[in-house]
Amino acid sequence: MLDRSKLTSPHSTGLDTAKEIAKFDRLAKEWRDPKGKFKQVLAFNQTRLIAIEKMIAQHLGRDLNNPAPLAGLSLLDIGCGAGLLCEPLAELGADVTGIDASEHNILVASQHAKTNSIAVNYLHCLASDLEDRAENNRYDIVLNTEVIEHVADQQGLIDTCCRLLKPGGLLVMATLNRTITSYIVGIIGAEYVMRYLPIGTHEWRYFVKPQEISAMISTQGLETINVTGMTFNPFTKHWSVNQNTKVNYLLFAAKPSDISSV
């Protein structure tokens, strides 16, 4: 939920609470405007969401045609941003926690969830902070999407994701492959030519190959069960899910049901 104490502290600099809340309302609306400046991010997210929902249903035996098909499942979104994955998964019935290192992102996401009466537990923290909590604080599903390519200690992040997953649970990783194609499309094309992303958003050397993620999760006893590619058609402006993993991809991994969650 939105921490209003950050806006109304008696020791604050005199910010107008109503104006601050209105500001985050506008930002949340802007993030979700299909015709706004984030429209390509929204299109990408919607395509990714469908693939994630299908794999969750397949792995955990849920029927997406049922009301609240994810009811009873706990889900952690690490690096949740503005909550673009958190909210639709919560609306499917999952008990969703979204965390982000950016307080601004959490404020925007929290205000949107509050305004739309969507139950998501948003926290301004790092994934490693959650490991200090109670032993039973583990999740059926852990999402880590478009985060690892911005992290120097990639093995450390992977280890934390795996430890926060319950035995039998599903880990979802989304990132960019380190290929020549991803450099041309993901950096030169997306940042410098089409300007879908700010210049400098990505550093190609931090992109991660699917086999590298598979190797990193194997140290925690997890096994990759599916790798799915996502590609953008610049002519139709549409994203699609396919087997082309040269640029964007989703990697799904399972934690054995008989492995310790510690």
Side-chain angles (χ1 to χ4, degrees), residues 14-225:
L15 290 175
D16 185 308
T17 301
K19 287 184 178 179
E20 286 297 291
I21 292 175
K23 177 178 70 176
F24 288 114
D25 274 336
R26 288 193 300 271
L27 286 169
K29 184 177 180 180
E30 185 177 26
W31 261 105
R32 289 165 173 80
D33 182 358
K35 296 181 180 179
K37 65 180 180 180
F38 298 117
K39 62 183 179 181
Q40 292 304 331
V41 175
L42 287 171
F44 171 76
N45 182 73
Q46 185 58 34
T47 303
R48 178 180 61 177
L49 174 63
I50 293 170
I52 291 172
E53 290 175 348
K54 288 181 178 178
M55 186 56 67
I56 290 174
Q58 178 180 321
H59 183 69
L60 296 170
R62 299 301 178 102
D63 185 350
L64 293 175
N65 293 314
N66 289 339
L70 304 187
L73 295 177
S74 57
L75 183 149
L76 173 65
D77 187 357
I78 298 172
C80 64
L84 299 182
L85 288 174
C86 288
E87 291 190 9
L89 292 170
E91 290 182 308
L92 291 179
D95 180 9
V96 177
T97 297
I99 67 172
D100 202 283
S102 166
E103 183 179 26
H104 177 269
N105 285 344
I106 292 300
L107 288 168
V108 170
S110 297
Q111 184 60 24
H112 187 269
K114 177 180 174 62
T115 300
N116 293 274
S117 301
I118 302 172
V120 178
N121 178 32
Y122 285 114
L123 301 172
H124 174 219
C125 68
L126 299 175
S128 56
D129 296 331
L130 297 181
E131 289 195 85
D132 298 329
R133 302 188 177 189
E135 175 57 33
N136 62 357
N137 189 28
R138 297 294 184 266
Y139 302 86
D140 296 298
I141 306 150
V142 172
L143 306 183
N144 188 241
T145 61
E146 275 65 56
V147 175
I148 194 169
E149 70 269 23
H150 301 287
V151 174
D153 184 7
Q154 296 178 332
Q155 181 69 64
L157 175 61
I158 289 280
D159 291 346
T160 299
C161 291
C162 294
R163 288 194 293 263
L164 288 169
L165 190 66
K166 288 181 181 179
L170 180 70
L171 173 64
V172 182
M173 301 289 301
T175 188
L176 293 104
N177 201 346
R178 194 174 65 258
T179 63
I180 296 300
T181 303
S182 72
Y183 184 81
I184 295 171
V185 175
I187 294 182
I188 296 176
E191 296 183 19
Y192 288 86
V193 179
M194 303 305 295
R195 300 299 175 96
Y196 291 141
L197 297 169
I199 292 175
T201 296
H202 293 114
E203 286 193 50
W204 183 78
R205 63 193 176 107
Y206 287 122
F207 288 6
V208 191
K209 294 179 178 291
Q211 57 267 35
E212 292 172 344
I213 291 183
S214 293
M216 285 188 277
I217 64 172
S218 69
T219 65
Q220 295 290 325
L222 276 70
E223 180 181 358
T224 298
I225 57 175

